[in-house]
Amino acid sequence: MQVLVSNFTEEQLNRYEMYRRAAFPKASIKRLMQCMTGNAVPQNVIIAMSGIAKVFVGEVVEEALDVMKQWGETGPIQPKHLREAVRNLKKTQSITQSTKYKKQLFHS
């Protein structure tokens, strides 16, 4: 890994550092999981879910960048790009559609 990082350009190194520092607040993940399950959630599960969420967001952002490229747009990612990215991921079965918790989370 050190060999790879040592060969990064300055831009790649900055992006890698930002990725390493980025994290979801563990308290928010814990609260969300406890709300969904109705039970106490162990710390190791919260850490794992935080990592899974980070990977998921990365996939959505990558897909949104692909959408921007397909549409011939530049600049920052906009909500329309994120919505289209999620639609594309749902079409390719990368995201499963669960309505079980959707109602519980957004209509409480």
PDB file of all heavy atoms in Angstrom, residues 67-107:
ATOM      1  N   VAL A  67     -23.056   9.567 -14.667  1.00  0.00           N
ATOM      2  CA  VAL A  67     -24.256  10.203 -15.214  1.00  0.00           C
ATOM      3  C   VAL A  67     -23.909  11.580 -15.764  1.00  0.00           C
ATOM      4  O   VAL A  67     -24.329  11.952 -16.866  1.00  0.00           O
ATOM      5  CB  VAL A  67     -25.371  10.299 -14.141  1.00  0.00           C
ATOM      6  CG1 VAL A  67     -26.485  11.228 -14.579  1.00  0.00           C
ATOM      7  CG2 VAL A  67     -25.913   8.919 -13.815  1.00  0.00           C
ATOM      8  N   MET A  68     -23.140  12.339 -14.998  1.00  0.00           N
ATOM      9  CA  MET A  68     -22.734  13.672 -15.463  1.00  0.00           C
ATOM     10  C   MET A  68     -21.964  13.581 -16.777  1.00  0.00           C
ATOM     11  O   MET A  68     -22.180  14.378 -17.699  1.00  0.00           O
ATOM     12  CB  MET A  68     -21.868  14.361 -14.399  1.00  0.00           C
ATOM     13  CG  MET A  68     -22.628  14.872 -13.220  1.00  0.00           C
ATOM     14  SD  MET A  68     -21.564  15.639 -11.988  1.00  0.00           S
ATOM     15  CE  MET A  68     -20.838  16.980 -12.914  1.00  0.00           C
ATOM     16  N   LYS A  69     -21.068  12.604 -16.860  1.00  0.00           N
ATOM     17  CA  LYS A  69     -20.273  12.433 -18.077  1.00  0.00           C
ATOM     18  C   LYS A  69     -21.180  12.065 -19.252  1.00  0.00           C
ATOM     19  O   LYS A  69     -21.022  12.597 -20.355  1.00  0.00           O
ATOM     20  CB  LYS A  69     -19.219  11.344 -17.864  1.00  0.00           C
ATOM     21  CG  LYS A  69     -18.193  11.260 -18.976  1.00  0.00           C
ATOM     22  CD  LYS A  69     -17.191  10.146 -18.758  1.00  0.00           C
ATOM     23  CE  LYS A  69     -16.331  10.460 -17.551  1.00  0.00           C
ATOM     24  NZ  LYS A  69     -15.265   9.441 -17.351  1.00  0.00           N
ATOM     25  N   GLN A  70     -22.154  11.160 -19.023  1.00  0.00           N
ATOM     26  CA  GLN A  70     -23.087  10.760 -20.082  1.00  0.00           C
ATOM     27  C   GLN A  70     -23.914  11.943 -20.569  1.00  0.00           C
ATOM     28  O   GLN A  70     -24.214  12.053 -21.758  1.00  0.00           O
ATOM     29  CB  GLN A  70     -24.030   9.667 -19.577  1.00  0.00           C
ATOM     30  CG  GLN A  70     -23.394   8.330 -19.363  1.00  0.00           C
ATOM     31  CD  GLN A  70     -24.327   7.347 -18.658  1.00  0.00           C
ATOM     32  OE1 GLN A  70     -25.455   7.685 -18.318  1.00  0.00           O
ATOM     33  NE2 GLN A  70     -23.827   6.149 -18.411  1.00  0.00           N
ATOM     34  N   TRP A  71     -24.297  12.806 -19.659  1.00  0.00           N
ATOM     35  CA  TRP A  71     -25.109  13.967 -20.006  1.00  0.00           C
ATOM     36  C   TRP A  71     -24.277  15.132 -20.525  1.00  0.00           C
ATOM     37  O   TRP A  71     -24.817  16.169 -20.901  1.00  0.00           O
ATOM     38  CB  TRP A  71     -25.929  14.420 -18.797  1.00  0.00           C
ATOM     39  CG  TRP A  71     -27.008  13.460 -18.384  1.00  0.00           C
ATOM     40  CD1 TRP A  71     -27.383  12.306 -19.010  1.00  0.00           C
ATOM     41  CD2 TRP A  71     -27.851  13.573 -17.237  1.00  0.00           C
ATOM     42  NE1 TRP A  71     -28.394  11.695 -18.323  1.00  0.00           N
ATOM     43  CE2 TRP A  71     -28.710  12.455 -17.228  1.00  0.00           C
ATOM     44  CE3 TRP A  71     -27.952  14.500 -16.208  1.00  0.00           C
ATOM     45  CZ2 TRP A  71     -29.661  12.256 -16.249  1.00  0.00           C
ATOM     46  CZ3 TRP A  71     -28.907  14.298 -15.228  1.00  0.00           C
ATOM     47  CH2 TRP A  71     -29.755  13.184 -15.250  1.00  0.00           C
ATOM     48  N   GLY A  72     -22.961  14.976 -20.507  1.00  0.00           N
ATOM     49  CA  GLY A  72     -22.080  16.036 -20.987  1.00  0.00           C
ATOM     50  C   GLY A  72     -22.038  17.243 -20.070  1.00  0.00           C
ATOM     51  O   GLY A  72     -21.835  18.366 -20.528  1.00  0.00           O
ATOM     52  N   GLU A  73     -22.233  17.033 -18.782  1.00  0.00           N
ATOM     53  CA  GLU A  73     -22.235  18.130 -17.819  1.00  0.00           C
ATOM     54  C   GLU A  73     -20.949  18.109 -17.006  1.00  0.00           C
ATOM     55  O   GLU A  73     -20.331  17.068 -16.809  1.00  0.00           O
ATOM     56  CB  GLU A  73     -23.450  18.024 -16.898  1.00  0.00           C
ATOM     57  CG  GLU A  73     -24.764  18.162 -17.634  1.00  0.00           C
ATOM     58  CD  GLU A  73     -25.976  18.081 -16.725  1.00  0.00           C
ATOM     59  OE1 GLU A  73     -25.801  18.010 -15.498  1.00  0.00           O
ATOM     60  OE2 GLU A  73     -27.090  18.095 -17.252  1.00  0.00           O
ATOM     61  N   THR A  74     -20.563  19.295 -16.522  1.00  0.00           N
ATOM     62  CA  THR A  74     -19.390  19.422 -15.667  1.00  0.00           C
ATOM     63  C   THR A  74     -19.778  20.205 -14.427  1.00  0.00           C
ATOM     64  O   THR A  74     -20.882  20.728 -14.335  1.00  0.00           O
ATOM     65  CB  THR A  74     -18.241  20.153 -16.400  1.00  0.00           C
ATOM     66  OG1 THR A  74     -18.713  21.447 -16.793  1.00  0.00           O
ATOM     67  CG2 THR A  74     -17.773  19.379 -17.613  1.00  0.00           C
ATOM     68  N   GLY A  75     -18.844  20.285 -13.505  1.00  0.00           N
ATOM     69  CA  GLY A  75     -19.104  21.025 -12.271  1.00  0.00           C
ATOM     70  C   GLY A  75     -19.440  20.081 -11.127  1.00  0.00           C
ATOM     71  O   GLY A  75     -19.178  18.875 -11.203  1.00  0.00           O
ATOM     72  N   PRO A  76     -20.012  20.637 -10.066  1.00  0.00           N
ATOM     73  CA  PRO A  76     -20.330  19.795  -8.906  1.00  0.00           C
ATOM     74  C   PRO A  76     -21.506  18.864  -9.176  1.00  0.00           C
ATOM     75  O   PRO A  76     -22.357  19.138 -10.032  1.00  0.00           O
ATOM     76  CB  PRO A  76     -20.664  20.802  -7.809  1.00  0.00           C
ATOM     77  CG  PRO A  76     -21.090  22.037  -8.535  1.00  0.00           C
ATOM     78  CD  PRO A  76     -20.339  22.044  -9.832  1.00  0.00           C
ATOM     79  N   ILE A  77     -21.554  17.777  -8.446  1.00  0.00           N
ATOM     80  CA  ILE A  77     -22.679  16.842  -8.537  1.00  0.00           C
ATOM     81  C   ILE A  77     -23.916  17.525  -7.976  1.00  0.00           C
ATOM     82  O   ILE A  77     -23.867  18.158  -6.930  1.00  0.00           O
ATOM     83  CB  ILE A  77     -22.390  15.557  -7.744  1.00  0.00           C
ATOM     84  CG1 ILE A  77     -21.199  14.816  -8.345  1.00  0.00           C
ATOM     85  CG2 ILE A  77     -23.618  14.644  -7.704  1.00  0.00           C
ATOM     86  CD1 ILE A  77     -20.754  13.621  -7.539  1.00  0.00           C
ATOM     87  N   GLN A  78     -25.011  17.389  -8.684  1.00  0.00           N
ATOM     88  CA  GLN A  78     -26.281  17.991  -8.269  1.00  0.00           C
ATOM     89  C   GLN A  78     -27.251  16.891  -7.872  1.00  0.00           C
ATOM     90  O   GLN A  78     -27.059  15.723  -8.223  1.00  0.00           O
ATOM     91  CB  GLN A  78     -26.860  18.826  -9.404  1.00  0.00           C
ATOM     92  CG  GLN A  78     -25.971  19.989  -9.795  1.00  0.00           C
ATOM     93  CD  GLN A  78     -26.521  20.736 -10.994  1.00  0.00           C
ATOM     94  OE1 GLN A  78     -27.635  20.497 -11.461  1.00  0.00           O
ATOM     95  NE2 GLN A  78     -25.726  21.644 -11.518  1.00  0.00           N
ATOM     96  N   PRO A  79     -28.321  17.245  -7.154  1.00  0.00           N
ATOM     97  CA  PRO A  79     -29.298  16.229  -6.745  1.00  0.00           C
ATOM     98  C   PRO A  79     -29.853  15.408  -7.905  1.00  0.00           C
ATOM     99  O   PRO A  79     -30.078  14.208  -7.760  1.00  0.00           O
ATOM    100  CB  PRO A  79     -30.396  17.051  -6.062  1.00  0.00           C
ATOM    101  CG  PRO A  79     -29.684  18.245  -5.526  1.00  0.00           C
ATOM    102  CD  PRO A  79     -28.620  18.549  -6.545  1.00  0.00           C
ATOM    103  N   LYS A  80     -30.037  16.031  -9.064  1.00  0.00           N
ATOM    104  CA  LYS A  80     -30.561  15.274 -10.216  1.00  0.00           C
ATOM    105  C   LYS A  80     -29.593  14.159 -10.626  1.00  0.00           C
ATOM    106  O   LYS A  80     -30.024  13.092 -11.044  1.00  0.00           O
ATOM    107  CB  LYS A  80     -30.863  16.202 -11.396  1.00  0.00           C
ATOM    108  CG  LYS A  80     -29.644  16.896 -11.979  1.00  0.00           C
ATOM    109  CD  LYS A  80     -30.026  17.843 -13.099  1.00  0.00           C
ATOM    110  CE  LYS A  80     -28.794  18.509 -13.687  1.00  0.00           C
ATOM    111  NZ  LYS A  80     -29.155  19.435 -14.754  1.00  0.00           N
ATOM    112  N   HIS A  81     -28.310  14.405 -10.490  1.00  0.00           N
ATOM    113  CA  HIS A  81     -27.322  13.373 -10.820  1.00  0.00           C
ATOM    114  C   HIS A  81     -27.382  12.226  -9.805  1.00  0.00           C
ATOM    115  O   HIS A  81     -27.284  11.058 -10.178  1.00  0.00           O
ATOM    116  CB  HIS A  81     -25.913  13.962 -10.837  1.00  0.00           C
ATOM    117  CG  HIS A  81     -25.754  15.107 -11.783  1.00  0.00           C
ATOM    118  ND1 HIS A  81     -25.244  16.316 -11.394  1.00  0.00           N
ATOM    119  CD2 HIS A  81     -26.052  15.223 -13.093  1.00  0.00           C
ATOM    120  CE1 HIS A  81     -25.216  17.132 -12.424  1.00  0.00           C
ATOM    121  NE2 HIS A  81     -25.708  16.495 -13.473  1.00  0.00           N
ATOM    122  N   LEU A  82     -27.542  12.570  -8.537  1.00  0.00           N
ATOM    123  CA  LEU A  82     -27.641  11.545  -7.497  1.00  0.00           C
ATOM    124  C   LEU A  82     -28.905  10.716  -7.667  1.00  0.00           C
ATOM    125  O   LEU A  82     -28.879   9.490  -7.526  1.00  0.00           O
ATOM    126  CB  LEU A  82     -27.600  12.190  -6.112  1.00  0.00           C
ATOM    127  CG  LEU A  82     -26.269  12.859  -5.746  1.00  0.00           C
ATOM    128  CD1 LEU A  82     -26.419  13.650  -4.463  1.00  0.00           C
ATOM    129  CD2 LEU A  82     -25.167  11.830  -5.629  1.00  0.00           C
ATOM    130  N   ARG A  83     -30.024  11.378  -7.965  1.00  0.00           N
ATOM    131  CA  ARG A  83     -31.282  10.632  -8.173  1.00  0.00           C
ATOM    132  C   ARG A  83     -31.158   9.668  -9.344  1.00  0.00           C
ATOM    133  O   ARG A  83     -31.589   8.516  -9.264  1.00  0.00           O
ATOM    134  CB  ARG A  83     -32.439  11.600  -8.387  1.00  0.00           C
ATOM    135  CG  ARG A  83     -32.930  12.277  -7.127  1.00  0.00           C
ATOM    136  CD  ARG A  83     -34.222  13.030  -7.351  1.00  0.00           C
ATOM    137  NE  ARG A  83     -34.053  14.161  -8.242  1.00  0.00           N
ATOM    138  CZ  ARG A  83     -33.737  15.401  -7.854  1.00  0.00           C
ATOM    139  NH1 ARG A  83     -33.557  15.660  -6.579  1.00  0.00           N
ATOM    140  NH2 ARG A  83     -33.611  16.361  -8.728  1.00  0.00           N
ATOM    141  N   GLU A  84     -30.558  10.140 -10.443  1.00  0.00           N
ATOM    142  CA  GLU A  84     -30.387   9.273 -11.611  1.00  0.00           C
ATOM    143  C   GLU A  84     -29.418   8.136 -11.295  1.00  0.00           C
ATOM    144  O   GLU A  84     -29.615   6.999 -11.743  1.00  0.00           O
ATOM    145  CB  GLU A  84     -29.896  10.082 -12.808  1.00  0.00           C
ATOM    146  CG  GLU A  84     -29.812   9.295 -14.092  1.00  0.00           C
ATOM    147  CD  GLU A  84     -31.159   8.757 -14.570  1.00  0.00           C
ATOM    148  OE1 GLU A  84     -32.212   9.347 -14.238  1.00  0.00           O
ATOM    149  OE2 GLU A  84     -31.157   7.733 -15.276  1.00  0.00           O
ATOM    150  N   ALA A  85     -28.394   8.419 -10.512  1.00  0.00           N
ATOM    151  CA  ALA A  85     -27.441   7.379 -10.120  1.00  0.00           C
ATOM    152  C   ALA A  85     -28.140   6.289  -9.322  1.00  0.00           C
ATOM    153  O   ALA A  85     -27.920   5.096  -9.562  1.00  0.00           O
ATOM    154  CB  ALA A  85     -26.305   7.993  -9.303  1.00  0.00           C
ATOM    155  N   VAL A  86     -28.986   6.677  -8.377  1.00  0.00           N
ATOM    156  CA  VAL A  86     -29.719   5.682  -7.581  1.00  0.00           C
ATOM    157  C   VAL A  86     -30.664   4.896  -8.475  1.00  0.00           C
ATOM    158  O   VAL A  86     -30.776   3.677  -8.346  1.00  0.00           O
ATOM    159  CB  VAL A  86     -30.463   6.359  -6.411  1.00  0.00           C
ATOM    160  CG1 VAL A  86     -31.408   5.393  -5.732  1.00  0.00           C
ATOM    161  CG2 VAL A  86     -29.459   6.914  -5.405  1.00  0.00           C
ATOM    162  N   ARG A  87     -31.330   5.564  -9.414  1.00  0.00           N
ATOM    163  CA  ARG A  87     -32.201   4.851 -10.366  1.00  0.00           C
ATOM    164  C   ARG A  87     -31.403   3.810 -11.150  1.00  0.00           C
ATOM    165  O   ARG A  87     -31.848   2.675 -11.325  1.00  0.00           O
ATOM    166  CB  ARG A  87     -32.857   5.831 -11.340  1.00  0.00           C
ATOM    167  CG  ARG A  87     -34.093   6.466 -10.816  1.00  0.00           C
ATOM    168  CD  ARG A  87     -34.841   7.219 -11.935  1.00  0.00           C
ATOM    169  NE  ARG A  87     -35.491   8.355 -11.327  1.00  0.00           N
ATOM    170  CZ  ARG A  87     -35.093   9.614 -11.384  1.00  0.00           C
ATOM    171  NH1 ARG A  87     -34.042   9.951 -12.092  1.00  0.00           N
ATOM    172  NH2 ARG A  87     -35.743  10.571 -10.775  1.00  0.00           N
ATOM    173  N   ASN A  88     -30.233   4.210 -11.627  1.00  0.00           N
ATOM    174  CA  ASN A  88     -29.397   3.277 -12.396  1.00  0.00           C
ATOM    175  C   ASN A  88     -28.959   2.099 -11.539  1.00  0.00           C
ATOM    176  O   ASN A  88     -28.961   0.951 -12.003  1.00  0.00           O
ATOM    177  CB  ASN A  88     -28.166   3.997 -12.948  1.00  0.00           C
ATOM    178  CG  ASN A  88     -28.505   4.981 -14.039  1.00  0.00           C
ATOM    179  OD1 ASN A  88     -29.613   4.980 -14.584  1.00  0.00           O
ATOM    180  ND2 ASN A  88     -27.568   5.851 -14.357  1.00  0.00           N
ATOM    181  N   LEU A  89     -28.562   2.357 -10.311  1.00  0.00           N
ATOM    182  CA  LEU A  89     -28.132   1.272  -9.429  1.00  0.00           C
ATOM    183  C   LEU A  89     -29.295   0.338  -9.104  1.00  0.00           C
ATOM    184  O   LEU A  89     -29.107  -0.873  -8.979  1.00  0.00           O
ATOM    185  CB  LEU A  89     -27.505   1.840  -8.153  1.00  0.00           C
ATOM    186  CG  LEU A  89     -26.147   2.527  -8.347  1.00  0.00           C
ATOM    187  CD1 LEU A  89     -25.713   3.223  -7.070  1.00  0.00           C
ATOM    188  CD2 LEU A  89     -25.105   1.536  -8.802  1.00  0.00           C
ATOM    189  N   LYS A  90     -30.495   0.877  -8.966  1.00  0.00           N
ATOM    190  CA  LYS A  90     -31.665   0.027  -8.725  1.00  0.00           C
ATOM    191  C   LYS A  90     -31.949  -0.850  -9.939  1.00  0.00           C
ATOM    192  O   LYS A  90     -32.314  -2.015  -9.799  1.00  0.00           O
ATOM    193  CB  LYS A  90     -32.894   0.879  -8.394  1.00  0.00           C
ATOM    194  CG  LYS A  90     -32.902   1.412  -6.989  1.00  0.00           C
ATOM    195  CD  LYS A  90     -34.156   2.220  -6.717  1.00  0.00           C
ATOM    196  CE  LYS A  90     -34.162   2.748  -5.299  1.00  0.00           C
ATOM    197  NZ  LYS A  90     -35.340   3.598  -5.027  1.00  0.00           N
ATOM    198  N   LYS A  91     -31.777  -0.279 -11.130  1.00  0.00           N
ATOM    199  CA  LYS A  91     -32.006  -1.049 -12.354  1.00  0.00           C
ATOM    200  C   LYS A  91     -31.030  -2.211 -12.487  1.00  0.00           C
ATOM    201  O   LYS A  91     -31.396  -3.273 -12.975  1.00  0.00           O
ATOM    202  CB  LYS A  91     -31.879  -0.155 -13.590  1.00  0.00           C
ATOM    203  CG  LYS A  91     -33.128   0.602 -13.929  1.00  0.00           C
ATOM    204  CD  LYS A  91     -33.022   1.201 -15.315  1.00  0.00           C
ATOM    205  CE  LYS A  91     -32.303   2.516 -15.230  1.00  0.00           C
ATOM    206  NZ  LYS A  91     -32.241   3.239 -16.505  1.00  0.00           N
ATOM    207  N   THR A  92     -29.804  -2.010 -12.054  1.00  0.00           N
ATOM    208  CA  THR A  92     -28.789  -3.058 -12.175  1.00  0.00           C
ATOM    209  C   THR A  92     -28.766  -3.976 -10.957  1.00  0.00           C
ATOM    210  O   THR A  92     -27.848  -4.782 -10.814  1.00  0.00           O
ATOM    211  CB  THR A  92     -27.386  -2.449 -12.363  1.00  0.00           C
ATOM    212  OG1 THR A  92     -27.064  -1.659 -11.218  1.00  0.00           O
ATOM    213  CG2 THR A  92     -27.306  -1.618 -13.616  1.00  0.00           C
ATOM    214  N   GLN A  93     -29.740  -3.832 -10.081  1.00  0.00           N
ATOM    215  CA  GLN A  93     -29.867  -4.667  -8.885  1.00  0.00           C
ATOM    216  C   GLN A  93     -28.739  -4.433  -7.882  1.00  0.00           C
ATOM    217  O   GLN A  93     -28.518  -5.268  -7.017  1.00  0.00           O
ATOM    218  CB  GLN A  93     -29.920  -6.156  -9.258  1.00  0.00           C
ATOM    219  CG  GLN A  93     -31.034  -6.523 -10.216  1.00  0.00           C
ATOM    220  CD  GLN A  93     -32.404  -6.455  -9.571  1.00  0.00           C
ATOM    221  OE1 GLN A  93     -32.561  -6.795  -8.424  1.00  0.00           O
ATOM    222  NE2 GLN A  93     -33.401  -6.013 -10.313  1.00  0.00           N
ATOM    223  N   SER A  94     -28.004  -3.321  -8.009  1.00  0.00           N
ATOM    224  CA  SER A  94     -26.959  -3.005  -7.036  1.00  0.00           C
ATOM    225  C   SER A  94     -27.568  -2.513  -5.723  1.00  0.00           C
ATOM    226  O   SER A  94     -26.930  -2.562  -4.688  1.00  0.00           O
ATOM    227  CB  SER A  94     -26.015  -1.941  -7.588  1.00  0.00           C
ATOM    228  OG  SER A  94     -25.328  -2.442  -8.701  1.00  0.00           O
ATOM    229  N   ILE A  95     -28.801  -2.004  -5.811  1.00  0.00           N
ATOM    230  CA  ILE A  95     -29.531  -1.556  -4.625  1.00  0.00           C
ATOM    231  C   ILE A  95     -30.827  -2.349  -4.584  1.00  0.00           C
ATOM    232  O   ILE A  95     -31.567  -2.392  -5.564  1.00  0.00           O
ATOM    233  CB  ILE A  95     -29.878  -0.054  -4.700  1.00  0.00           C
ATOM    234  CG1 ILE A  95     -28.628   0.795  -4.774  1.00  0.00           C
ATOM    235  CG2 ILE A  95     -30.721   0.343  -3.506  1.00  0.00           C
ATOM    236  CD1 ILE A  95     -28.910   2.269  -4.935  1.00  0.00           C
ATOM    237  N   THR A  96     -31.078  -2.980  -3.459  1.00  0.00           N
ATOM    238  CA  THR A  96     -32.348  -3.686  -3.323  1.00  0.00           C
ATOM    239  C   THR A  96     -33.395  -2.713  -2.824  1.00  0.00           C
ATOM    240  O   THR A  96     -33.093  -1.781  -2.082  1.00  0.00           O
ATOM    241  CB  THR A  96     -32.234  -4.864  -2.345  1.00  0.00           C
ATOM    242  OG1 THR A  96     -31.814  -4.375  -1.081  1.00  0.00           O
ATOM    243  CG2 THR A  96     -31.246  -5.897  -2.850  1.00  0.00           C
ATOM    244  N   GLN A  97     -34.620  -2.942  -3.221  1.00  0.00           N
ATOM    245  CA  GLN A  97     -35.705  -2.070  -2.805  1.00  0.00           C
ATOM    246  C   GLN A  97     -36.453  -2.715  -1.662  1.00  0.00           C
ATOM    247  O   GLN A  97     -37.058  -3.768  -1.809  1.00  0.00           O
ATOM    248  CB  GLN A  97     -36.647  -1.807  -3.972  1.00  0.00           C
ATOM    249  CG  GLN A  97     -35.984  -1.025  -5.077  1.00  0.00           C
ATOM    250  CD  GLN A  97     -36.946  -0.736  -6.208  1.00  0.00           C
ATOM    251  OE1 GLN A  97     -38.014  -1.326  -6.312  1.00  0.00           O
ATOM    252  NE2 GLN A  97     -36.567   0.174  -7.076  1.00  0.00           N
ATOM    253  N   SER A  98     -36.376  -2.093  -0.520  1.00  0.00           N
ATOM    254  CA  SER A  98     -37.078  -2.580   0.656  1.00  0.00           C
ATOM    255  C   SER A  98     -38.045  -1.510   1.117  1.00  0.00           C
ATOM    256  O   SER A  98     -37.656  -0.380   1.371  1.00  0.00           O
ATOM    257  CB  SER A  98     -36.102  -2.913   1.784  1.00  0.00           C
ATOM    258  OG  SER A  98     -36.814  -3.230   2.948  1.00  0.00           O
ATOM    259  N   THR A  99     -39.304  -1.868   1.206  1.00  0.00           N
ATOM    260  CA  THR A  99     -40.299  -0.898   1.680  1.00  0.00           C
ATOM    261  C   THR A  99     -40.622  -1.128   3.144  1.00  0.00           C
ATOM    262  O   THR A  99     -41.362  -0.367   3.730  1.00  0.00           O
ATOM    263  CB  THR A  99     -41.594  -1.001   0.846  1.00  0.00           C
ATOM    264  OG1 THR A  99     -42.090  -2.332   0.944  1.00  0.00           O
ATOM    265  CG2 THR A  99     -41.332  -0.641  -0.601  1.00  0.00           C
ATOM    266  N   LYS A 100     -40.065  -2.161   3.731  1.00  0.00           N
ATOM    267  CA  LYS A 100     -40.380  -2.488   5.113  1.00  0.00           C
ATOM    268  C   LYS A 100     -40.010  -1.348   6.064  1.00  0.00           C
ATOM    269  O   LYS A 100     -40.803  -0.952   6.910  1.00  0.00           O
ATOM    270  CB  LYS A 100     -39.643  -3.761   5.536  1.00  0.00           C
ATOM    271  CG  LYS A 100     -39.924  -4.183   6.961  1.00  0.00           C
ATOM    272  CD  LYS A 100     -39.210  -5.479   7.293  1.00  0.00           C
ATOM    273  CE  LYS A 100     -39.491  -5.886   8.724  1.00  0.00           C
ATOM    274  NZ  LYS A 100     -38.779  -7.100   9.081  1.00  0.00           N
ATOM    275  N   TYR A 101     -38.806  -0.789   5.905  1.00  0.00           N
ATOM    276  CA  TYR A 101     -38.355   0.252   6.812  1.00  0.00           C
ATOM    277  C   TYR A 101     -38.587   1.650   6.267  1.00  0.00           C
ATOM    278  O   TYR A 101     -38.536   2.611   6.999  1.00  0.00           O
ATOM    279  CB  TYR A 101     -36.869   0.070   7.137  1.00  0.00           C
ATOM    280  CG  TYR A 101     -36.616  -1.200   7.898  1.00  0.00           C
ATOM    281  CD1 TYR A 101     -35.955  -2.262   7.316  1.00  0.00           C
ATOM    282  CD2 TYR A 101     -37.084  -1.345   9.197  1.00  0.00           C
ATOM    283  CE1 TYR A 101     -35.743  -3.436   8.020  1.00  0.00           C
ATOM    284  CE2 TYR A 101     -36.883  -2.515   9.894  1.00  0.00           C
ATOM    285  CZ  TYR A 101     -36.204  -3.544   9.309  1.00  0.00           C
ATOM    286  OH  TYR A 101     -36.003  -4.706   9.995  1.00  0.00           O
ATOM    287  N   LYS A 102     -38.840   1.763   4.982  1.00  0.00           N
ATOM    288  CA  LYS A 102     -39.032   3.074   4.382  1.00  0.00           C
ATOM    289  C   LYS A 102     -40.187   3.814   5.045  1.00  0.00           C
ATOM    290  O   LYS A 102     -40.071   4.965   5.416  1.00  0.00           O
ATOM    291  CB  LYS A 102     -39.270   2.919   2.886  1.00  0.00           C
ATOM    292  CG  LYS A 102     -39.248   4.213   2.111  1.00  0.00           C
ATOM    293  CD  LYS A 102     -39.349   3.917   0.643  1.00  0.00           C
ATOM    294  CE  LYS A 102     -39.217   5.165  -0.167  1.00  0.00           C
ATOM    295  NZ  LYS A 102     -39.287   4.904  -1.591  1.00  0.00           N
ATOM    296  N   LYS A 103     -41.297   3.120   5.218  1.00  0.00           N
ATOM    297  CA  LYS A 103     -42.456   3.742   5.842  1.00  0.00           C
ATOM    298  C   LYS A 103     -42.153   4.091   7.292  1.00  0.00           C
ATOM    299  O   LYS A 103     -42.516   5.152   7.763  1.00  0.00           O
ATOM    300  CB  LYS A 103     -43.656   2.809   5.766  1.00  0.00           C
ATOM    301  CG  LYS A 103     -44.146   2.587   4.351  1.00  0.00           C
ATOM    302  CD  LYS A 103     -45.274   1.573   4.324  1.00  0.00           C
ATOM    303  CE  LYS A 103     -45.632   1.283   2.873  1.00  0.00           C
ATOM    304  NZ  LYS A 103     -46.553   0.169   2.760  1.00  0.00           N
ATOM    305  N   GLN A 104     -41.477   3.202   7.975  1.00  0.00           N
ATOM    306  CA  GLN A 104     -41.188   3.407   9.388  1.00  0.00           C
ATOM    307  C   GLN A 104     -40.232   4.591   9.584  1.00  0.00           C
ATOM    308  O   GLN A 104     -40.393   5.375  10.497  1.00  0.00           O
ATOM    309  CB  GLN A 104     -40.573   2.137   9.973  1.00  0.00           C
ATOM    310  CG  GLN A 104     -40.354   2.200  11.471  1.00  0.00           C
ATOM    311  CD  GLN A 104     -39.765   0.903  11.989  1.00  0.00           C
ATOM    312  OE1 GLN A 104     -39.019   0.213  11.285  1.00  0.00           O
ATOM    313  NE2 GLN A 104     -40.081   0.556  13.201  1.00  0.00           N
ATOM    314  N   LEU A 105     -39.254   4.751   8.687  1.00  0.00           N
ATOM    315  CA  LEU A 105     -38.257   5.809   8.860  1.00  0.00           C
ATOM    316  C   LEU A 105     -38.788   7.178   8.473  1.00  0.00           C
ATOM    317  O   LEU A 105     -38.492   8.158   9.131  1.00  0.00           O
ATOM    318  CB  LEU A 105     -37.024   5.499   8.007  1.00  0.00           C
ATOM    319  CG  LEU A 105     -36.106   4.421   8.521  1.00  0.00           C
ATOM    320  CD1 LEU A 105     -35.007   4.157   7.509  1.00  0.00           C
ATOM    321  CD2 LEU A 105     -35.501   4.819   9.850  1.00  0.00           C
ATOM    322  N   PHE A 106     -39.568   7.264   7.416  1.00  0.00           N
ATOM    323  CA  PHE A 106     -39.930   8.560   6.891  1.00  0.00           C
ATOM    324  C   PHE A 106     -41.363   8.990   7.201  1.00  0.00           C
ATOM    325  O   PHE A 106     -41.741  10.095   6.880  1.00  0.00           O
ATOM    326  CB  PHE A 106     -39.687   8.601   5.384  1.00  0.00           C
ATOM    327  CG  PHE A 106     -38.243   8.359   5.045  1.00  0.00           C
ATOM    328  CD1 PHE A 106     -37.831   7.222   4.381  1.00  0.00           C
ATOM    329  CD2 PHE A 106     -37.285   9.279   5.425  1.00  0.00           C
ATOM    330  CE1 PHE A 106     -36.503   7.016   4.091  1.00  0.00           C
ATOM    331  CE2 PHE A 106     -35.950   9.090   5.131  1.00  0.00           C
ATOM    332  CZ  PHE A 106     -35.562   7.951   4.460  1.00  0.00           C
ATOM    333  N   HIS A 107     -42.136   8.153   7.815  1.00  0.00           N
ATOM    334  CA  HIS A 107     -43.505   8.524   8.121  1.00  0.00           C
ATOM    335  C   HIS A 107     -43.828   8.370   9.608  1.00  0.00           C
ATOM    336  O   HIS A 107     -44.951   8.164   9.976  1.00  0.00           O
ATOM    337  CB  HIS A 107     -44.488   7.669   7.297  1.00  0.00           C
ATOM    338  CG  HIS A 107     -44.338   7.890   5.827  1.00  0.00           C
ATOM    339  ND1 HIS A 107     -44.702   9.059   5.211  1.00  0.00           N
ATOM    340  CD2 HIS A 107     -43.816   7.097   4.858  1.00  0.00           C
ATOM    341  CE1 HIS A 107     -44.452   8.974   3.917  1.00  0.00           C
ATOM    342  NE2 HIS A 107     -43.910   7.795   3.682  1.00  0.00           N
TER     343      HIS A 107
END
